[in-house]
Amino acid sequence: MKRLFNTRKVNLATLLTFLVSASVILTLLILTISTYHSNKESLMTTYLSLNYSKAEKMSNSVESLFGSMRTNLESTVDFLEEHEEMSDQEIHEQLELLRKSSSYFNSLSWVDETGLVRTISPVSIGLKGTKITSGVTKDVLDAKKPMLTTPYIGPSNRLLVLMSQPIFSKDGTYRGIISGSIYLQEQNALNHILGNDAAEKNGSYYFVVGPEGTLLFHPERKLIGENVYKNPVVQKLTHGKSGMELVTNTKGIPMLAAYSYVPEAGWGVVQQIPYSYVHSLLVDQLQNLLVNVLLPFLILLLLSIFIARKLAKPFIYLADLANRLAEGKDVSQSLKNTLRQSHWNREADLLTKSFAHALELLEKNTEKLTQSALTDSLTGLPNRRKLEEILNTWSSDGRHFSLLVLDIDHFKSINDTYGHQMGDETLKTLAETIQAITRNNDYCFRYGGEEFVLLLDTNAAGAYKVAEKIRQKIEKTMVIPGRTITVSLGISEFPKHTNSVQELFELADKALYESKLGGRNRITISPAPQPEIQYGIYKSN
């Protein structure tokens, strides 16, 4: 094989044709793959957001419905307590009126304190005169307080949820409960709200589960009453959580599911769509993309082959430049200048200019990423990495400057007392305050946590004045309502105190430590104060 390559040389135009063809094909492949992943992420996010919006809307509707049910039940009980002389028949008429006028409940009943069903609407249920001695209804009766039960099989052998309100006589004697039953497998106001557009042609549907993972509503009514606690989304709902994610349901089908918790009832609403539907949309989009770009890419391929055969030299140059970029090597200014030069051939000229523009965009994006890496995301200040860069530059230039280290006093107590969000606001306010005081040729960095570092283009005495302005300004600023904060500061000077950058920082840090030991809200210059300069440790009144 080696001998073959030594004896048979590859034509440069053929080689370039192959390279250009491979580049175009790879570009198409990369475009397809990147488009697939981008569209996949976009579609999943879109459908998850839509599902969550609908789940939240249904959750709010159910919450509002239960609120209205509770209000109607309370109003009825208030009326009966005001008219305790009403007979059983009259109470029955009131319950019948409430049931028919609101359509909230499938049935309404009065169970007295002994467990006797005194009246029930509608009477066709046949429980009037029945004595309740055990079960959920008995537990509700004994509780003597408003309740909303978990789903259970009632005396009428129906899967139901019971909402109850205790009733008392004017002298405070317990008279039992007025309760409304919601039959989960029959028509009522709840099913009317939930039943609208429960399932769609694209396979999207929603269902409702109870506190223990029991299906309370489902487009397939035969599934109501089944326990689906194994579904990971249902498990989160039973713990009062809301959210959205890609899950595999109990049937092993991947679903894009959003879920919203109903606090009033302890229920959960799950809105989901099969991932297969989203995947089919994604495949359709890719097919459309390929149909639309295949012809242009084919034309581009043929054109590239033609140009490669006619313009070998420019393409060799561009290929070399591309290889340098792929290897992560810097592009020299001379190569950039060559890119900007005009070629006598129009096609080669356009290609080199396009490459130059792409290179310019790449450098700008790289610069943005570099800037982001050197900036603290919370305060917008340069970070520790930028500090090291400027500190090394200033020291290498033999520049005279001061390093100031600043730390918030008792910052942990702020986080513990007011929360980390208020702690973050404190850090941002402090950063703004420092920036407002320092000059344009000075630098302020967030070193880490509640610690800030300043590089000041002045000696220690000048740095002390700046530090005092900062200390006083912060001490007078109401960062947290009803509470001010203080800072401790340490200063060292280069090269007066040391020629070592590392030691310079250590001296400032030790000075800061002295400020902390001295009672905080102080400024300390390192080394110890000198007789000829009347400054040193500042102590506030």
Side-chain angles (χ1 to χ4, degrees), residues 220-384:
E220 297 182 39
R221 288 199 174 186
K222 63 181 181 180
L223 298 179
I224 296 176
E226 288 189 9
N227 190 284
V228 290
Y229 184 78
K230 290 183 179 179
N231 190 315
V233 162
V234 174
Q235 293 177 15
K236 293 181 180 180
L237 280 172
T238 58
H239 289 86
K241 296 180 180 179
S242 300
M244 51 185 178
E245 58 189 86
L246 173 63
V247 298
T248 301
N249 66 12
T250 53
K251 296 181 179 180
I253 302 174
M255 305 290 284
L256 293 174
Y259 47 99
S260 182
Y261 183 65
V262 184
E264 173 72 19
W267 295 6
V269 179
V270 180
Q271 171 73 37
Q272 56 186 12
I273 186 171
Y275 175 74
S276 58
Y277 173 76
V278 177
H279 185 264
S280 65
L281 291 179
L282 188 60
V283 171
D284 290 341
Q285 289 183 357
L286 282 178
Q287 288 177 346
N288 291 333
L289 173 67
L290 290 175
V291 169
N292 291 329
V293 304
L294 194 57
L295 181 59
F297 263 92
L298 182 60
I299 295 174
L300 178 62
L301 177 60
L302 295 175
L303 181 62
S304 299
I305 292 174
F306 174 77
I307 295 174
R309 290 184 176 276
K310 297 296 182 181
L311 303 173
K313 186 176 179 179
F315 281 107
I316 291 175
Y317 166 75
L318 292 176
D320 179 63
L321 191 57
N323 285 334
R324 291 183 64 85
L325 291 173
E327 293 170 1
K329 297 179 180 178
D330 293 333
V331 179
S332 65
Q333 189 60 44
S334 60
L335 289 176
K336 294 178 185 178
N337 293 335
T338 304
L339 275 177
R340 297 188 181 94
Q341 294 175 359
S342 298
H343 291 276
W344 63 268
N345 183 277
R346 182 174 178 274
E347 287 77 9
D349 188 59
L350 288 174
L351 187 58
T352 52
K353 287 181 179 178
S354 298
F355 199 96
H357 180 65
L359 179 60
E360 183 179 350
L361 291 177
L362 179 63
E363 290 178 339
K364 288 181 179 179
N365 289 334
T366 302
E367 184 179 350
K368 289 180 181 178
L369 290 174
T370 302
Q371 182 63 27
S372 176
L374 298 175
T375 303
D376 175 54
S377 59
L378 177 65
T379 62
L381 294 176
N383 60 17
R384 183 173 182 170

Side-chain angles (χ1 to χ4, degrees), residues 65-76 94-109 121-122 125 147-148 160-165 178-184 186-191:
L65 176 63
F66 277 123
S68 299
M69 287 178 170
R70 176 64 67 185
T71 300
N72 275 24
L73 211 56
E74 289 174 348
S75 299
T76 300
Q94 286 295 320
L95 298 183
E96 187 76 8
L97 176 63
L98 173 59
R99 183 177 67 84
K100 291 181 177 180
S101 61
S102 65
S103 299
Y104 286 151
F105 303 101
N106 293 98
S107 69
L108 287 156
S109 62
S121 172
I125 295 176
M147 291 188 68
L148 178 66
L160 60 88
V161 172
L162 189 71
M163 180 180 287
S164 67
Q165 188 73 21
I178 300 295
S179 62
S181 299
I182 306 168
Y183 299 155
L184 297 174
E186 298 180 21
Q187 283 299 117
N188 49 49
L190 179 62
N191 278 325

